[in-house]
């Protein structure tokens, strides 16, 4: 079984309070102009017309060559992810880029694959069955934005 992790709540709360993003800047405030901007905290779509934040995010503990940074959307008001169900944010696109990472947050070569939405869970489970893989990150296949992290359930 797999668990889906959005941005940690503490990171989201810090951005909402005006704290710096991965590049040291405050998050930009905007109004969602579509019904499908994916919040990386609750892993749901931000409703059209709702206030949102746009920030640079690096889902790794420290900068290093494999620690990709990119833009994300975030609900401007507090939200929360239950980590249990297949996240709504992975239903927007027909496919996504999945990559397996080692415990020291390095890409495990040969794991990167564009995967259709209906096969995300299966491919992530296959990667997580390998002992050298600690987690799988899901990114947009077209824009490379980080979407969600998948881990084994405890």
């Amino acid at each position: 079984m797999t668990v889906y992790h959005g941005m940690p709540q503490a990171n989201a709360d810090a951005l909402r309070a005006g704290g710096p993003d991965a590049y040291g800047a405050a998050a930009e405030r905007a109004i969602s102009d579509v019904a499908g901007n994916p919040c990386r905290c609750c892993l749901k779509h931000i409703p059209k017309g709702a206030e949102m934040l746009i920030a640079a995010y690096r889902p790794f503990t420290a900068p290093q060559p494999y620690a990709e940074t990119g833009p994300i959307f975030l609900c401007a008001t507090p939200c929360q992810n239950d980590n249990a169900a297949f996240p709504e944010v992975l239903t927007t696109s027909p496919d996504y880029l999945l990559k397996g990472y080692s415990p020291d947050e390095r890409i495990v070569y040969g794991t990167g694959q564009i995967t259709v939405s209906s096969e995300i869970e299966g491919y992530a489970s296959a990667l997580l069955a390998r002992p050298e893989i600690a987690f799988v990150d899901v990114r947009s296949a077209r824009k490379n934005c980080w979407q969600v992290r998948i881990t084994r359930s405890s």
Side-chain angles (χ1 to χ4, degrees), residues 23 52 57 103-104:
Y23 292 140
M52 66 180 189
Y57 183 60
D104 63 349

Side-chain angles (χ1 to χ4, degrees), residues 22-42:
Y23 292 140
E28 295 178 9
R29 293 196 172 268
I31 300 298
S32 178
D33 57 356
V34 297
N37 287 318
C39 175
R40 296 336 192 282
C41 181
C42 66

Side-chain angles (χ1 to χ4, degrees), residues 62-139:
Q64 44 96 347
Y66 296 99
E68 297 169 286
T69 302
I72 56 134
F73 300 121
L74 183 66
C75 293
T77 57
C79 61
Q80 197 166 1
N81 175 25
D82 64 11
N83 300 93
F86 188 81
E88 183 177 88
V89 297
L90 296 181
T91 63
T92 307
S93 180
D95 51 22
Y96 293 87
L97 172 60
L98 276 67
K99 291 187 256 183
Y101 289 81
S102 63
D104 63 349
E105 299 185 333
R106 302 294 175 139
I107 294 171
V108 176
Y109 288 109
T111 61
Q113 176 178 297
I114 303 294
T115 305
V116 297
S117 296
S118 62
E119 296 176 10
I120 288 174
E121 199 154 357
Y123 185 55
S125 293
L127 289 175
L128 291 167
R130 296 171 49 179
E132 72 273 26
I133 296 179
F135 61 90
V136 174
D137 270 359
V138 181
R139 291 182 166 269

